Amino acid sequence: MPEETIIITNYKACDSIEAEIKPKNKLNIKTVSGMGKKGKVTIDVIVNYCKGCEICVYFCPEKVLAMKKEIAEVIDISKCTKCNICEILCPDFAITVEE
Amino acid sequence: MPEETIIITNYKACDSIEAEIKPKNKLNIKTVSGMGKKGKVTIDVIVNYCKGCEICVYFCPEKVLAMKKEIAEVIDISKCTKCNICEILCPDFAITVEE
Amino acid sequence: MIKTKFDYNKYLRQNTLPHIWCPGCGDGIILKSLIRAIDKLQIKKDDIVIASGIGCASRLPGYVDFNTIHTTHGRALTFAIGIKMFKPRLKVITISGDGDALAIGGNHFIHAARRNIDITLIVFNNYTYGMTGGQYSPTQPIGSYATTTPYGNIEPPFDVCDLAKAAGATWVARSTSYHALQLDKLIEAAITHQGFSVLDVITNCHISYGRRNKMKSPVEMITYQKEKGIPVRSAENLKPEELTGRFKTGLIYQKNDAPEFCAEYQKKLELLKTK
Amino acid sequence: MIKTKFDYNKYLRQNTLPHIWCPGCGDGIILKSLIRAIDKLQIKKDDIVIASGIGCASRLPGYVDFNTIHTTHGRALTFAIGIKMFKPRLKVITISGDGDALAIGGNHFIHAARRNIDITLIVFNNYTYGMTGGQYSPTQPIGSYATTTPYGNIEPPFDVCDLAKAAGATWVARSTSYHALQLDKLIEAAITHQGFSVLDVITNCHISYGRRNKMKSPVEMITYQKEKGIPVRSAENLKPEELTGRFKTGLIYQKNDAPEFCAEYQKKLELLKTK
Amino acid sequence: MSGKTEIRFAGSGGQGLILAGIILADAAAIYDNKNAVQTQSYGPEARGGSSKSEVVISDAPIEYPKATKIDYMVVLTQESFSKYIFDLRDNGVVIADKELITDFSNAKGKLYMLDMVKSAREELGKLLGLNIIALGALVEISNVVSKETILKALLKRVPKGFEDYNKKALEIGFRLAKEVKNN
Amino acid sequence: MSGKTEIRFAGSGGQGLILAGIILADAAAIYDNKNAVQTQSYGPEARGGSSKSEVVISDAPIEYPKATKIDYMVVLTQESFSKYIFDLRDNGVVIADKELITDFSNAKGKLYMLDMVKSAREELGKLLGLNIIALGALVEISNVVSKETILKALLKRVPKGFEDYNKKALEIGFRLAKEVKNN
Amino acid sequence: MANNIKLMQGNEAIAEGAVIAGCNFFAGYPITPSSEISEYLSVKLPKTGGVFLQMEDEIAALGAVLGASLGGAKAITATSGPGMSLKQEHIGYASMCEIPCVIVNVMRGGPSTGLPTLPSQSDVMQVKWGVHGDHAIIAITPSSVNESLYETVRAFNLSIKYRTPVIILTDEIIGHMREKVIIMEKDSIEILEIKLPSVPPEEYKPYNYLSGKVTPLAPMGEGYRYHVTGLIHGDTGFPSQKTEVIQNAQNWLIDKIYKNVADIEKFEEFQTGDAELLLVAYGSTSRSSRQAVMMARAAGIKAGLFRPITIWPFPEKQIKNLAKRAKIILVPEMNMGQIIFEVQRCACNSAVHGLNIVNGEPITPDQIYDKIKEITK
Amino acid sequence: MANNIKLMQGNEAIAEGAVIAGCNFFAGYPITPSSEISEYLSVKLPKTGGVFLQMEDEIAALGAVLGASLGGAKAITATSGPGMSLKQEHIGYASMCEIPCVIVNVMRGGPSTGLPTLPSQSDVMQVKWGVHGDHAIIAITPSSVNESLYETVRAFNLSIKYRTPVIILTDEIIGHMREKVIIMEKDSIEILEIKLPSVPPEEYKPYNYLSGKVTPLAPMGEGYRYHVTGLIHGDTGFPSQKTEVIQNAQNWLIDKIYKNVADIEKFEEFQTGDAELLLVAYGSTSRSSRQAVMMARAAGIKAGLFRPITIWPFPEKQIKNLAKRAKIILVPEMNMGQIIFEVQRCACNSAVHGLNIVNGEPITPDQIYDKIKEITK
Ligand SMILES: Cc1ncc(C[n+]2csc(CCOP(=O)(O)OP(=O)(O)O)c2C)c(N)n1
Ligand SMILES: Cc1ncc(C[n+]2csc(CCOP(=O)(O)OP(=O)(O)O)c2C)c(N)n1
Ligand code: SF4
Ligand code: SF4
Ligand code: SF4
Ligand code: SF4
Ligand code: SF4
Ligand code: SF4
Ligand SMILES: [Mg+2]
Ligand SMILES: [Mg+2]
């Protein structure tokens, strides 16, 4: 703070300083279904919840996911083992894995 | 203390709620000297410091002391071993033991 | 470990989402774990009280559909004790940041532990004052940086678990936001335990802590948790020097026969009745 | 063990005597021990700061001819830390009652311990709030009586020494007003120790505690200390059940190599100078 | 006697003088249905320090609750005698213990010296009850409440098993006072 | 231009817009010796939340420190565009990123769409510096301070080793703005 | 000798008043001269199944009281000067979140540790202004033991009705003196009970700024799940930073008290009808003042006494009215001048004098009478 | 481009002002919107051998500051609403024991957690009355960044001169805005140093109520051994319950400030010479008010602004004077009405209006001007 230096982090902080009840947003969900390594699987990403933290992408053991324009996206569902790690570690209720 | 019951303890609490510097009281010291079990000994009781707690009397291993009108008093200096317990345990700087 | 889809919605105040936490903040991961644990226990929503202090972590209660109290900084446990003593049938869970629980709230922490009152305290331990922008906290490691330790921290951190135990807590454990499934079980056990239970959860704040300490991203921070956490059992076989910089996870201490405060109070009341 | 007459007068503010404490109050015995210990160490009176909180024990500073601060209830350590950090050459000793140090002052207690700052804290532990007339304190034994536990206390007491150690204190001991000569040595050692030292001194308050708990007189209370105190070494050889109702005396914990807070801070300053 | 009587018990904490004042006020207010206010002074914080217990008894409502011009003062320590004698009415009455008070340098009013401590020691075997003796003496001398009333008020506040002991103490007080009154 | 210019940088926390505002105010106040006030709005408590950084520049002393009628607004998120456009002057200017802002439903004033994010990615290799690009663009378009001045003010606050990087970013801003201005 | 008359101490009367009001929760931290309240309740509450808690400090005590109150308890705490200072943050929280509770402050000499065992009236302004931020408070200053009891009952009622902390601001003299209390039949005492909201949970909003009516606070654990926060919040209880919501919330905290002054205020007038010299006094000082009025009347001075029982909100209207006739006003206080500020504001065309004696002793009728003579000369 | 002009944030300016004043001790606890002060000092103080401490809470922070000050430090702490409430007990201790220190309160929206990041001016009365017991306080409300710096220096001087806590009462707007600061040569700034007493230790009395002069506080550890207590104490510093001592001690705490008002007070007048409409405003609101005065003047309304810089003691005399001409007074405040109480008291024959906007936004010049038009109609 004293001698200001340029500290620019690449995070996208949540803008909603209002925790006031919000108008019920329509959820914008991107669904990808297909056959994974352990059978049929559906992965939902709630686009307007995803904050692009990359946790799911990084911790998915099978590289099923990738970031696209700061939103998580399924890039290869066929490798998914339904291990659920992405869902468990997503801090934002933004990704779910179903049969 | 809802139903007041008679609780009367026999202690004499210190009246000086003033800790304000007091006029320098002349100390009223009662000195008893004599030969104790381990040689010459002098016991001083500062009468206006003694609060009559009886600690010295009780813990003197040789029963050299006793209470008189709520003040400690030497009753038999000949038994004194100069163990110093009375002095150490007196909370009020009121009793001292010297050669 | 395939799981069917878990429905968080039942427990969420959905119109408060997305939550206020930064992208990748570990608090969201813990929130989900808490919901899963409560669901597992099948406690009625009406019977749960969540009290928190002030801080990022302490924003949690706003998102969950229980009886929720966002109190003052450091004082969540005092409110928790009040309501628990008055209505012992309620399950009372307290959420605090490390600053909230252990800096300003340290006294209530040790006294709740001493009383062994049946409340669960989850400490969201991100080594920093997240909400106020990253000042050092009483759990921040020596040598690390914060906005108020520009030359490196020299204050030794508390070991939250040791402190809780010495103060009288009868159930003490540690986990991380990475170890989310372990966390589910520990939260479940903490809530079930009859007495004061303290769960120290190491969580990631890259914004206020990480980026000043060479962990700019949530991923780096969670990787740190993964690498530094070591299960209590495994730790037993390691030499002290192998443990430096690491922390134990899992159940650290449990005592089951200690009298619980509400129960003891109720016993007194019964005794007075018969008199 | 014949001793020559010790002259307390050098250290006393004589025109404040007789002191305010009740007849037989243990606080006076500890005061004398403190004076003897300081005399032994031959520290200049100008270099000693005694800070206390509020309570009977906390009246102590008024009687001794040092730099003395009678602060607010529970906060003595905060003043002590301020002056110690600003003038590390001063020897800072803090006097607190059990309520002062561990009820309202509990947070400062654990944080001073955590920082391991070179201050000596002497807790005058009489199991009660003496000055306010005998409400229960956080060290009062279970089952005992106080003006606010008319049906017997159900709150477990702190073990002051355990708590100090877990919080980070590096020198921890216990004594009693009866064990006055042991106390001399412990106070001396506490002051000498480089780091935060905590000395838990069990002291007798027959007025506010004793007379509600079948110990009406100072003599009965001091006898209790004599009988219940057990040296650490002897305690090692006893079975747990033989120890119930008793407390250990002597040096309980010491760690010499831990960094001391003022010293660490001075090191930082040196580093910055050379930069 | 005017409508208002002011009584002070003064001594050191633990002598039970506060209780004596309470019992007296209780007797006047509840049993005699007068107005009565009892006040006291404390040492630092609330622990047993010096103590002074005052009772104002009046037929009219009592506004200012403390005593200002003492009609009767019972003293049980030298210090309190010297300290509190100043606002005794000129025709006020002091009831003091013979053994405990020895210096009467600034005495005024009418002084009754009673052997209360001695009687307690001899007749009760201990000093417990000294306050009740003093109370009895006060009632006998002042007549501010009747003997029956004070006994009722006393017994209400005595723990079970101690009724006789206290009654005896009260009566010692009556007797000692009567003796000096008749002198 | 009247004596007073009001500029707003709006986007999300972490985009460095507060810093951009500070550099601008610094340039105006210290190097151009005008009056300048920079203010900002925070999210809850102080952690990285939404952010809005305003600079008022004037020849006369500035009393009310916040912007009220925006002359220039630089926006880097959709949300801030929609939220903050309302108090733009009717003839105000908006500088927006082409990629980040897509919905212009309530646009007003004059709108410049710049490929700032794209250029950052392509020419700087990362988004670090986006704020400086935006700052450059603003200076080019508004002329509220000179290019030399802004460069000086920028370099003062850049950590060692990052001078060139930031200078480059600034120049990208100048260039992008010049391109659209000339359109 | 009626069985329903008792000799009680002021502090005991407050505690007994709480019991009569249905208080079932106490949390406190001992401090002279208020400790008798906790001691009394430590005996009484457990007997009726209530909770008595001694907490680790005053902050914790009020925190516990508020937690319990959210659970539906009728909760009280008691303290004195230093403790009152420590409670300020939580008093603000109680105001902001509209949580009923009763807080007793038995005033002793201040500032700081001051004079623990001696009386004063020096926390009167603190009660109104001690909290950071804007809010309104109700405070009551009883002047007798009997009044201590019944005003405590009223304090509970007001706190529930207006969902606000109510402060009983008594002083060491009233707190420690013993006098007669007339214990009335329970039926003849108005006691407000805590009720569930009349709407079903789905419709329940814990706050309702615009309705002008105080929404009842649903006890937690009874099916009404809501959120409580010390952040500025809207009707739902969730935080908001919208300008209108903020302003509404702020207005409401003030208005709900000030628009109901008529219901909240309580005062006593003594010989004010034709008073040209008005005394304004409260608490123990009002007793001496009353006696001084009698002395003045006896000497032919047309004196009168206005005694606020509810000291906050301050009875502005009454003072303004009385000041029309009374061109000399005397405000005796055991402090260096506090309520006199309010009186000056309301009665600025009268000569307003203070009698400020702060020496550890109560102000005597003689002192007041002397002052009366001085200012009427 | 002069080298001695800097763009600074208000909070930074306070911290820099402290450094210039010779501050060598800070202890604090973070809170929005004051944290920059501690962050700045955490960088600066260690560089000059000073102490920077982050304590476990606000109570501890002020405790440490007072401890250090007793050791002879020039010590400061900084906080905001909730922290300020917690500090009240120790502010009282500092007043009572006459320990110099500077306390910064960067006002945010209250009460309770309120609006942590948004501005308000709602702690003005708390600063005067928040402590239990009677005492007097000095408080300063800067209205620019430059003033923030120099008033901080003055705050240190006043605190040493009068041995009293001095409060810098700023608000989120001034605290967070950046504008020009002119850094003067050190020699041209008056800086009071802490000195040893002129008398030898044997003669030193730490208090001296009757002399009318403030005795210097001897730094501990330099040979002057004395006793400090929050109990009422006599000249020697030892507690006393003697009625005269108590009254003297009480009088002194008030008198040492109020009898030196002329030295302590500082204010600014803008176009008040012929003002018939007077604005009274402080801190950030005074900036909007100044602009509104210009707008009003432009419209032919004879408006003027009185801006207290020292807000406590309140500049009664000036207001009374100005009110002789100004029959309409407007007090715009970012609170529900606080300083207006003082103005009403001092100017009771003028029509005193409030403009109280509390919605998280600063009050704008337009809003004030609109109100001016309304009340002058
Ligand atoms: C009494 C008080 N002091 C200080 C603050 C400012 N404050 C808000 S949150 C916080 C600390 C947050 O740290 P932590 O508890 O660890 O929670 P986190 O944000 O890291 O989850 C502080 C100091 C406050 N709100 N109230
Ligand atoms: C803030 C505050 N709360 C409460 C008190 C009242 N008080 C004075 S001393 C004391 C407790 C004394 O107990 P302890 O600290 O054990 O000391 P002791 O008297 O037993 O030596 C209390 C509660 C106070 N002075 N200040
Ligand atoms: S379930 Fe497992 S494998 Fe499938 S996407 Fe998620 S993390 Fe990857
Ligand atoms: S973990 Fe969740 S929020 Fe983060 S990138 Fe993946 S889906 Fe988005
Ligand atoms: S010195 Fe020992 S033997 Fe002699 S009187 Fe004292 S205690 Fe007794
Ligand atoms: S120990 Fe001291 S105070 Fe007690 S009786 Fe003996 S001489 Fe007196
Ligand atoms: S500041 Fe840190 S703790 Fe707070 S929300 Fe952001 S990442 Fe999480
Ligand atoms: S009350 Fe107890 S602790 Fe206090 S002086 Fe008396 S005996 Fe000692
Ligand atoms: Mg944290
Ligand atoms: Mg104690």
Side-chain angles (χ1 to χ4, degrees), chain C residues 20-27 56-57 126 128 130-131 204-209, chain F residues 47-48:
Chain C
I20 202 177
W21 294 311
C22 302
C25 172
D27 292 0
C56 291
N126 58 9
T128 191
M131 177 150 278
N204 51 297
C205 168
H206 58 297
I207 295 302
S208 294
Y209 182 73
Chain F
R47 69 171 190 78

Side-chain angles (χ1 to χ4, degrees), chain B residues 7 9 11-14 21-22 49 51 53-55 58-59 84 87-93 96 98-99, chain D residues 2-3 5 12 15-19 21 23-25 28-29 31-32 36 178 180-181 207 211 219 222:
Chain B
I7 304 168
T9 47
Y11 75 101
K12 179 186 149 222
C14 170
I21 301 248
K22 301 174 186 78
Y49 279 6
K51 293 182 188 151
C53 68
E54 305 191 13
I55 291 177
Y58 185 88
F59 287 98
N84 220 23
E87 177 179 331
I88 295 288
L89 288 185
C90 170
D92 277 277
F93 302 93
T96 57
E98 282 172 280
E99 291 289 312
Chain D
I2 299 179
K3 306 188 85 191
K5 191 190 173 191
L12 286 171
N15 45 8
T16 61
L17 291 181
H19 54 56
W21 293 311
C25 173
I29 306 177
L31 165 59
K32 287 169 73 177
R36 291 192 301 268
Y178 171 74
L181 293 178
I207 295 302
R211 63 182 164 128
V219 165
I222 294 182

Side-chain angles (χ1 to χ4, degrees), chain D residues 108-140:
Chain D
H108 314 306
F109 178 89
I110 58 175
H111 282 271
R114 178 175 63 81
R115 294 189 183 102
N116 192 33
I117 185 164
D118 186 22
I119 290 173
T120 294
L121 168 68
I122 307 180
V123 181
F124 285 46
N125 188 349
N126 57 9
Y127 302 157
T128 191
Y129 294 169
M131 178 149 278
T132 46
Q135 298 79 14
Y136 68 102
S137 100
T139 59
Q140 187 174 316

Side-chain angles (χ1 to χ4, degrees), chain C residues 27 54-57 73 97-100 104 126 128-132, chain F residues 45, chain G residues 89, chain H residues 29-31 58 82-83 86 108:
Chain C
D27 292 0
I54 297 291
C56 291
H73 188 37
D98 42 330
D100 197 63
I104 194 167
N126 58 9
T128 191
Y129 294 169
M131 177 150 278
T132 46
Chain F
E45 298 280 345
Chain G
E89 190 191 10
Chain H
Y29 188 75
I31 186 165
E58 287 87 350
L86 289 173
R108 68 189 216 183

Side-chain angles (χ1 to χ4, degrees), chain D residues 162-257:
Chain D
D162 284 358
L163 186 65
K165 183 183 160 192
T170 50
W171 189 99
V172 178
R174 186 182 289 112
S175 188
T176 78
S177 45
Y178 171 74
H179 299 86
L181 293 178
Q182 177 199 46
L183 190 55
D184 287 18
K185 296 210 187 81
L186 288 173
I187 295 179
E188 214 188 303
I191 296 177
T192 309
H193 176 76
Q194 298 282 318
F196 191 63
S197 47
V198 175
L199 183 49
D200 179 26
V201 188
I202 310 298
T203 175
N204 51 298
C205 168
H206 59 297
I207 295 302
S208 293
Y209 182 75
R211 63 182 164 128
R212 293 189 181 87
N213 291 284
K214 301 194 178 143
M215 291 181 280
K216 272 191 203 166
S217 72
V219 165
E220 284 166 285
M221 293 214 71
I222 294 182
T223 306
Y224 163 90
Q225 294 169 11
K226 185 176 166 184
E227 286 169 0
K228 299 296 178 184
I230 172 164
V232 182
R233 293 249 173 85
S234 325
E236 277 164 15
N237 307 321
L238 294 182
K239 291 180 212 124
E241 58 271 24
E242 290 174 302
L243 281 171
T244 43
R246 305 196 62 175
F247 51 83
K248 294 181 209 166
T249 60
L251 180 63
I252 284 177
Y253 175 72
Q254 179 165 21
K255 187 167 192 279
N256 281 329
D257 52 354

